[in-house]
Amino acid sequence: MIISFEGIDGSGKSTQAKLLLEKLQGEGRSVLYVREPGGTDVSERIRNLLLDPDVELDPFTEMLLFSAARSELVRTRIRDVQASGGIVICDRFFDSTVAYQGGGRQLADPLWLNDFQRSVTGGIVPDRTYLVRVELATARERLEMRFGEEEAEDRMEKAGGAFFERVIATYDRLADAEPDRFLVLDGARSINDLQRQITDDMKRLLAR
Ligand code: ADP
Ligand code: TYD
């Protein structure tokens, strides 16, 4: 079973992904936790390139690198865990590329990008995607708490508010288009509230 967490930077998705990991491990389940981009030696090297502020990347190249990191991760790790009946928790998966590169950067038609991602993963689609939805101002406040005001401003301002509004809108469209896969969570709620909602939903999924 593949579970992915999505949302803008500072939405609180990694907090929830890690809490779910602890909960499932506590139940004695075998779980692979991966964060994107990354999760394999090659993918971590691609991550360093993608997140290096000194490297200027053409937007299409950037999209292909995010996709290459994902292809490597799926084909060398995720597929095997899925085949043996384990659980994979992905802190971001291909919806991030559709929302950030398609919606945010507007580099390609999000519909085409969405189809392309099915080829990148060899047809693997998460069984459940938790979309942690927050307003931009909330995400910014949270990043300020985590990184300090200057770095948070840097991260958000480099891309700009309009960029993140487009990312949010694209995530919303993806969730509307696949209501059976997405569970949209109100990220303004407390960490405990959100965790409870996710745990309840996971119980239902695992009982299916
Ligand atoms: P993301 O992975 O989406 O970038 P994180 O999970 O790292 O976000 O959370 C960003 C910051 O916000 C962290 O300092 C975290 O403790 C805090 N945070 C996460 N979820 C909540 C929440 N529901 N309410 C308040 N603060 C939160
Ligand atoms: P990271 O430090 O992991 O941020 P976060 O804690 O918010 O997940 O950085 C990942 C950044 O890369 C984040 O800004 C989202 C972006 N990203 C894309 O633009 N496209 C993608 O396909 C993925 C996976 C991430």
Side-chain angles (χ1 to χ4, degrees), residues 8-16 91 142-143 145-146 187 189-191 194:
I8 58 169
D9 307 51
S11 58
K13 71 186 151 18
S14 302
T15 302
Q16 293 304 327
D91 188 345
R142 289 183 186 168
L143 288 181
M145 283 199 301
R146 196 173 59 175
R189 293 173 65 177
S190 72
I191 291 176
L194 290 164

Side-chain angles (χ1 to χ4, degrees), residues 9-10 13-14 36-37 47 51 66 70 91-93 96-97 100-101 146 155:
D9 307 51
K13 71 186 151 18
S14 302
E36 277 220 5
R47 178 188 177 87
L51 301 185
F66 276 118
R70 176 168 310 124
D91 188 345
R92 295 193 181 282
F93 202 47
S96 284
T97 304
Y100 278 75
Q101 278 64 55
R146 196 173 59 175
R155 286 164 73 91

Side-chain angles (χ1 to χ4, degrees), residues 117-173:
Q117 289 303 313
R118 287 351 194 227
S119 306
V120 168
T121 67
I124 285 184
V125 175
D127 297 281
R128 171 65 85 223
T129 299
Y130 295 110
L131 172 59
V132 184
R133 199 182 186 291
V134 291
E135 300 293 321
L136 197 49
T138 309
R140 188 189 285 256
E141 272 166 33
R142 289 183 186 168
L143 288 181
E144 274 174 20
M145 283 199 301
R146 196 173 59 175
F147 296 113
E149 204 166 321
E150 242 166 64
E151 198 182 330
E153 289 226 330
D154 228 42
R155 286 164 73 91
M156 291 257 157
E157 244 134 57
K158 232 186 291 157
F163 174 94
F164 282 101
E165 293 296 355
R166 288 198 298 273
V167 174
I168 293 171
T170 309
Y171 270 135
D172 285 348
R173 277 203 296 279

